Amino acid sequence: MGFKRLIDSKKLLSLFAVFTLFGTNLLMAQDTAAPAAATASADPAAAQTAMWMGVAYYALIFLVLCFVIGIVGKILKVYDLTQQIQNKKEMNWNNIMGIVCILFLIAGGYGAYWSITVQGAMSLPEAASLHGVKIDDMFLTTTIITMIVFVITQVLLFWFLFRYRATGKRKAYFLPHNDTIEKVWTIIPAIVLTVLVIFGFFTWQEITNSTDAKGESSINIDITGHQFAWELRYPGPDGKLGKKNFTLSDPNNILGVDFKDKNSFDDLKADTLVLPVNKLIRLNIFAQDVIHSVYLPHFRVQLNAVPGLPTFFRFTPTITTDEMRRKTENPNFEYLLYCNKICGTAHYNMQKVVRVVSVEEYNKWIATQKPYLTDALKKELNIATAAADQKKNLSQNRLALNN
């Protein structure tokens, strides 16, 4: 019955959750540089087997620890009962728990230090956009403040449990109310949070500003998500994107571009998201089926793509792909566009290479892109026939006027 109660205990479930989280952190913190190449060429079945073996390994360790703790607890309980039967001094459980609290503080402090030093080193390289630097500053400020609060509160919590453990020689003081303490722990956090919120508000307002500055012109790029790919559309020589209408979507016109709008005729399609460095980019974000999410981690860009609700994000890339390759000492480095929503079974396929190049390279690249209006689409829409009829009518009108 005692073992059954142990299995049903909420404490056991909580301990299992903590241990699982620790195991996950340990796995995530492992160096993946060497295994990455091996995993890429490995058999998927073997990779899945290895994953489950890792889960079984940590589950087995957890069960062993549970049994060890249970056995140690039983031994201590038997020892305590033996002391009572022999009329000897009983075990001082208050001292034991106080020491356990100090040990937990030391172990927890080391765990926090390990997590910061090991997993903190896995953070992204420097932000490759103007607003990304400000977001990183906000994140760093918040992290430092919360870390200071975390250290102070945890040290005080476990030290007080040890220092003021029950001894039988003193009585706890009951403090029903204290205005000074209430003011301190209410006003100080309120001030800190207010500063963070105001700082964040103005930063976010600047990031989401949709108005081009004087003499500035954004490069509009349509990015549309569907299961399971991203579709890109660039403006042609006129610098304007044509309108879209979802009812016009078909296999030849995936995006539903409306060719009644003359700005649509020179629009371009692309397989790679190429961006000119130090130029303002406006991503017009759409979704055709479920919620997707445009995620460009190196540029600190993430915004949901919601069906029926067009959104946009403006940013300025500041580091070219070649420069980032030199900074990371990785000649194969590429910026990547991800979907950050689990949008279906093939969600992992929603990746696109993002290249940041010089303005000259961008102009050369854009000149080589194919028009969105393909021959098949022209045939489907009878655009060539309509253009010929229009030209014929113009000729006839000119003849009539000359006569």
Side-chain angles (χ1 to χ4, degrees):
M1 292 297 293
F3 184 74
K4 185 177 180 181
R5 287 196 298 269
L6 179 65
I7 294 297
D8 293 339
S9 173
K10 292 182 179 179
K11 293 181 180 179
L12 181 62
L13 294 176
S14 300
L15 182 61
F16 180 73
V18 171
F19 190 81
T20 303
L21 180 61
F22 172 75
T24 304
N25 287 340
L26 199 62
L27 284 170
M28 292 295 291
Q30 292 175 352
D31 183 13
T32 58
T39 304
S41 59
D43 181 23
Q48 189 174 19
T49 301
M51 179 191 72
W52 284 111
M53 286 296 291
V55 173
Y57 171 75
Y58 284 107
L60 181 61
I61 290 180
F62 172 74
L63 292 175
V64 170
L65 282 176
C66 287
F67 278 110
V68 169
I69 293 172
I71 291 171
V72 172
K74 289 293 183 182
I75 292 173
L76 291 176
K77 188 174 181 180
V78 170
Y79 175 77
D80 194 28
L81 290 172
T82 303
Q83 293 292 93
Q84 294 179 30
I85 292 173
Q86 296 177 357
N87 293 322
K88 294 181 179 180
K89 187 177 181 181
E90 301 177 16
M91 294 181 64
N92 190 330
W93 288 100
N94 291 323
N95 285 341
I96 292 174
M97 293 307 297
I99 293 171
V100 168
C101 287
I102 290 297
L103 293 176
F104 190 86
L105 174 62
I106 295 172
Y110 174 76
Y113 169 78
W114 173 85
S115 182
I116 292 171
T117 54
V118 175
Q119 294 182 318
M122 299 168 63
S123 60
L124 291 169
E126 63 179 299
S129 63
L130 285 178
H131 79 275
V133 175
K134 298 176 182 178
I135 287 181
D136 285 355
D137 289 342
M138 289 174 55
F139 182 82
L140 181 61
T141 302
T142 304
T143 301
I144 291 174
I145 292 174
T146 52
M147 192 179 298
I148 292 172
V149 174
F150 169 78
V151 171
I152 293 174
T153 54
Q154 298 308 303
V155 169
L156 289 178
L157 172 64
F158 290 103
W159 171 250
F160 269 60
L161 288 172
F162 172 77
R163 176 66 180 81
Y164 297 105
R165 64 191 182 278
T167 61
K169 298 179 180 179
R170 59 188 174 211
K171 186 177 180 181
Y173 175 68
F174 179 65
L175 185 67
H177 184 74
N178 186 294
D179 288 338
T180 302
I181 294 177
E182 293 283 350
K183 291 175 182 177
V184 168
W185 70 35
T186 300
I187 295 175
I188 293 179
I191 292 174
V192 173
L193 288 175
T194 301
V195 171
L196 289 176
V197 168
I198 292 175
F199 178 49
F201 171 77
F202 285 111
T203 302
W204 186 244
Q205 188 180 43
E206 183 178 349
I207 291 171
T208 56
N209 180 20
S210 60
T211 305
D212 288 344
K214 187 176 180 180
E216 185 179 49
S217 179
S218 307
I219 298 177
N220 274 290
I221 303 172
D222 272 8
I223 177 167
T224 304
H226 61 83
Q227 294 175 311
F228 295 95
W230 295 108
E231 305 293 339
L232 302 175
R233 184 170 65 123
Y234 280 75
D238 63 358
K240 298 179 181 179
L241 286 167
K243 296 179 180 178
K244 296 199 304 183
N245 186 338
F246 73 94
T247 61
L248 301 176
S249 300
D250 62 31
N252 290 324
N253 188 3
I254 296 176
L255 300 180
V257 176
D258 187 355
F259 288 96
K260 292 179 181 178
D261 182 358
K262 63 179 182 179
N263 293 323
S264 301
F265 285 89
D266 62 350
D267 289 350
L268 307 171
K269 63 179 179 180
D271 292 326
T272 302
L273 183 59
V274 177
L275 309 173
V277 69
N278 295 323
K279 292 292 183 180
L280 186 60
I281 308 297
R282 174 182 165 122
L283 293 180
N284 303 303
I285 300 169
F286 306 88
Q288 292 183 324
D289 36 39
V290 299
I291 297 178
H292 301 279
S293 184
V294 172
Y295 181 41
L296 298 162
H298 291 87
F299 304 100
R300 310 306 192 256
V301 171
Q302 179 178 319
L303 198 66
N304 286 350
V306 183
L309 183 64
T311 53
F312 70 91
F313 198 102
R314 299 192 334 150
F315 68 102
T316 302
T318 55
I319 303 176
T320 66
T321 300
D322 288 339
E323 288 174 340
M324 189 59 81
R325 286 174 179 173
R326 290 193 293 269
K327 288 175 179 288
T328 59
E329 297 181 352
N330 178 9
N332 298 319
F333 172 86
E334 294 284 6
Y335 294 119
L336 289 173
L337 161 66
Y338 302 94
C339 174
N340 210 25
K341 286 282 185 291
I342 301 177
C343 56
T345 54
H347 157 74
Y348 62 90
N349 280 331
M350 294 192 67
Q351 294 186 23
K352 263 198 185 300
V353 172
V354 181
R355 292 242 170 85
V356 180
V357 297
S358 66
V359 176
E360 293 77 13
E361 290 174 311
Y362 174 78
N363 290 333
K364 291 179 181 178
W365 173 84
I366 201 72
T368 63
Q369 299 311 297
K370 296 180 180 179
Y372 183 84
L373 183 59
T374 61
D375 292 336
L377 190 51
K378 287 180 180 178
K379 184 176 180 181
E380 177 185 328
L381 300 175
N382 295 319
I383 289 179
T385 304
D389 290 342
Q390 185 179 9
K391 186 176 181 181
K392 182 178 179 181
N393 291 333
L394 286 172
S395 299
Q396 289 176 349
N397 290 337
R398 285 173 185 167
L399 288 172
L401 288 173
N402 291 332
N403 293 332

